[in-house]
C-alpha cells in the first residue's frame, strides 16, 4: 500500500478534485443556464437579418427562460436543455420608415437538436412599417438566427461549458484515449518489426545462431491399467478383428515350438 505523497500512479493517495468520482464514472450534472444566457447573448445580440433594400438587425438579448444542464456519465456528455428565447430587433423599410419588436424562439430543446427552431416576430405597434419588416424577416431573415442556435447547440453538446473543469477534461481524455493507445501500439509494432528486420553482423554469427536453435525433445507416456488387462491386450483377439495381431501370432508360434 502506497503512502501519502508517494509517486505511485496505481494509487490515488493525493488530494484530487475528482476523488469521489474518478474519470466521471458516476452520474454528475452541471448547470449551464448562466453560460447559456451569456453565450446566446453573444450569438444573437448583434445579427444582421436584412441587408437591403430593407434593413434589420438584432439589438440584444431580452430574456432566456428555461433550463440548460450538461450531464456526464461514464465520461459521456449528455446535454439536456429547454429554452424560451426573446431577442430585440429594429430596422428600416426601403422608404426609410422605422420599425422594431421582438424575435421569439418559443421552444429550443434537446429533443429537437437536429431541427431548426420556430421563429416568431412580435410587434408592439401594428403599424405599416413594422408589418412590412416582419414579413421581410420571416421571409429572408431567419437563417442568421438558425445558424446562431446551431452554434449554441453544437457547443453545449460538445461540453464547452465544462471544458475548464475536471469533468470536461475527463470527457476529453475519454474521447482521445482510443487514439493515443492505438498510436502507442502502432509505434511498438513498428519498433519490433525494425528490430527483427536487422541482419546479423556476420555469416558465422548467423550459422552459430542456427546451430544453437536445434533442440531435442523426448516424450514419456504412462498408461495406468491392471496387469491382466495388459496381458489380454496382447494375447486376446478383439471381437470383429480380421486376424490376430503380430504380437499374438509370434507368441503362439513360440508356444507351439516349445510343445514340440
Amino acid at each position: 500500500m502506497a503512502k501519502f505523497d508517494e509517486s505511485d500512479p496505481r494509487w490515488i493517495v493525493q488530494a484530487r478534485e475528482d476523488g469521489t468520482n474518478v474519470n466521471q464514472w458516476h452520474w454528475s450534472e452541471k448547470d449551464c443556464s448562466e453560460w447559456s444566457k451569456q453565450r446566446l447573448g453573444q450569438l444573437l445580440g448583434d445579427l444582421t437579418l436584412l441587408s437591403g433594400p430593407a434593413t434589420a438587425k438584432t439589438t440584444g438579448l431580452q430574456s432566456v427562460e428555461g433550463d440548460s444542464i450538461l450531464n456526464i456519465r461514464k465520461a459521456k456528455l449528455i446535454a439536456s436543455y429547454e429554452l424560451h428565447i426573446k431577442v430585440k430587433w429594429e430596422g428600416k423599410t426601403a422608404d426609410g420608415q422605422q420599425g422594431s419588436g421582438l424575435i421569439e424562439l418559443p421552444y429550443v430543446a434537446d429533443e429537437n437538436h437536429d431541427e431548426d427552431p420556430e421563429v416568431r416576430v412580435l410587434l408592439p405597434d401594428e403599424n405599416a412599417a413594422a408589418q412590412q419588416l416582419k414579413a421581410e424577416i420571416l421571409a429572408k431573415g431567419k437563417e442568421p438566427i438558425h445558424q446562431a442556435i446551431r452554434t449554441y447547440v453544437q457547443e453545449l453538446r460538445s461540453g464547452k461549458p465544462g471544458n475548464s473543469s475536471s469533468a470536461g477534461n475527463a470527457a476529453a481524455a475519454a474521447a482521445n484515449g482510443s487514439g493515443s493507445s492505438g498510436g502507442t501500439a502502432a509505434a511498438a509494432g513498428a519498433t519490433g518489426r525494425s528490430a527483427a528486420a536487422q541482419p546479423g553482423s556476420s555469416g558465422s554469427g548467423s550459422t552459430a545462431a542456427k546451430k544453437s536453435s536445434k533442440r531435442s525433445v523426448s516424450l514419456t507416456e504412462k498408461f495406468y491399467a491392471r496387469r491382466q488387462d495388459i496381458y489380454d491386450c496382447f494375447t486376446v483377439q478383439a471381437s470383429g478383428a480380421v486376424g490376430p495381431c503380430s504380437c499374438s501370432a509370434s507368441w503362439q508360434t513360440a508356444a507351439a515350438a516349445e510343445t514340440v
Side-chain angles (χ1 to χ4, degrees):
M1 183 72 177
K3 296 180 180 179
F4 187 78
D5 282 342
E6 285 188 355
S7 300
D8 190 341
R10 296 173 298 173
W11 302 95
I12 303 178
V13 294
Q14 72 275 19
R16 292 178 51 171
E17 295 180 359
D18 62 341
T20 57
N21 192 8
V22 179
N23 294 330
Q24 298 297 320
W25 183 262
H26 303 292
W27 185 279
S28 63
E29 295 182 354
K30 179 179 178 62
D31 186 2
C32 302
S33 299
E34 191 61 32
W35 176 87
S36 296
K37 292 179 181 179
Q38 296 178 0
R39 188 59 179 142
L40 288 171
Q42 296 171 357
L43 294 172
L44 297 171
D46 187 18
L47 288 178
T48 299
L49 305 178
L50 301 174
S51 56
T55 60
K57 67 176 184 178
T58 59
T59 58
L61 185 68
Q62 185 184 59
S63 64
V64 176
E65 300 175 356
D67 299 320
S68 177
I69 300 173
L70 187 63
N71 304 305
I72 303 176
R73 173 70 169 98
K74 295 183 180 180
K76 180 180 179 181
L77 301 173
I78 306 172
S80 176
Y81 57 94
E82 184 175 340
L83 304 173
H84 181 193
I85 306 169
K86 290 183 179 180
V87 184
K88 295 180 286 187
W89 67 272
E90 63 181 20
K92 289 183 180 181
T93 62
D95 56 0
Q97 298 183 21
Q98 295 186 351
S100 62
L102 293 175
I103 291 176
E104 181 185 27
L105 305 175
Y107 190 69
V108 178
D110 55 274
E111 64 179 354
N112 297 329
H113 69 89
D114 56 346
E115 301 176 4
D116 291 329
E118 179 186 1
V119 177
R120 299 175 182 173
V121 179
L122 307 180
L123 301 178
D125 300 323
E126 296 291 338
N127 54 55
Q131 290 285 354
Q132 182 180 350
L133 290 172
K134 174 182 177 179
E136 290 280 348
I137 291 174
L138 291 177
K140 305 176 183 178
K142 293 192 294 184
E143 181 57 30
I145 300 172
H146 289 159
Q147 184 58 45
I149 296 299
R150 293 188 204 113
T151 301
Y152 163 77
V153 171
Q154 181 181 5
E155 292 179 357
L156 179 62
R157 289 170 59 83
S158 65
K160 186 172 182 179
N163 281 346
S164 59
S165 64
S166 58
N169 294 336
N176 296 330
S178 59
S180 60
S181 60
T184 304
T191 304
R193 289 192 297 271
S194 62
Q198 290 181 353
S201 58
S202 63
S204 59
S206 176
T207 304
K210 291 182 180 180
K211 290 182 179 180
S212 63
S213 65
K214 294 181 178 180
R215 296 290 186 272
S216 60
V217 179
S218 61
L219 299 176
T220 302
E221 296 288 345
K222 293 183 178 181
F223 299 94
Y224 297 94
R226 296 178 302 174
R227 286 176 291 180
Q228 182 63 35
D229 295 335
I230 298 176
Y231 176 79
D232 292 342
C233 176
F234 291 99
T235 59
V236 178
Q237 181 177 351
S239 61
V242 176
C245 64
S246 58
C247 295
S248 177
S250 61
W251 288 7
Q252 290 175 358
T253 303
E258 291 177 358
T259 302
V260 174

